[in-house]
């Protein structure tokens, strides 16, 4: 399955771009991978913010009552 591609104009640090080219790196692929990591990190950050109340409630429950089914743990 191929992913649709779209051309984009980017401004990059000239020395970094030069070094990448000297190392024969695929600049487009590296930029795409870096952007994918940044998007993933931001989605995770937003998810933590959006779910902070539920996470706190779950942690408070465990702190007060212990882990559910803890008596069945074998470790």
């Amino acid at each position: 399955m191929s992913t649709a591609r779209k051309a984009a104009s980017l401004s990059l640090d000239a020395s970094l771009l030069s070094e990448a080219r000297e190392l024969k790196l695929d600049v487009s692929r590296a930029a795409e991978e870096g952007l994918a990591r940044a998007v993933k990190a931001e989605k995770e950050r937003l998810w933590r913010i959006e779910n902070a109340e539920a996470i706190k409630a779950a942690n408070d429950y465990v702190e007060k009552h212990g882990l559910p089914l803890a008596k069945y743990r074998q470790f």
Side-chain angles (χ1 to χ4, degrees):
M1 181 166 106
S2 68
T3 303
R5 301 265 185 235
K6 181 170 176 133
S9 176
L10 301 173
S11 296
L12 302 171
D13 179 277
S15 62
L16 185 61
L17 181 58
S18 177
E19 190 173 4
R21 287 183 174 153
E22 286 175 17
L23 294 168
K24 300 189 183 346
L25 293 176
D26 182 338
V27 175
S28 294
R29 180 67 59 199
E32 185 174 355
E33 289 172 358
L35 185 58
R37 283 193 301 274
V39 166
K40 181 179 186 279
E42 182 63 7
K43 283 181 174 181
E44 289 170 354
R45 186 186 75 79
L46 292 173
W47 184 91
R48 284 191 300 275
I49 290 169
E50 291 168 4
N51 292 282
E53 189 175 318
I55 293 167
K56 183 179 179 336
N59 288 337
D60 289 347
Y61 177 89
V62 170
E63 187 175 315
K64 184 175 180 181
H65 302 285
L67 288 172
L69 307 175
K71 66 182 177 183
Y72 299 108
R73 293 178 75 175
Q74 296 182 7
F75 55 93

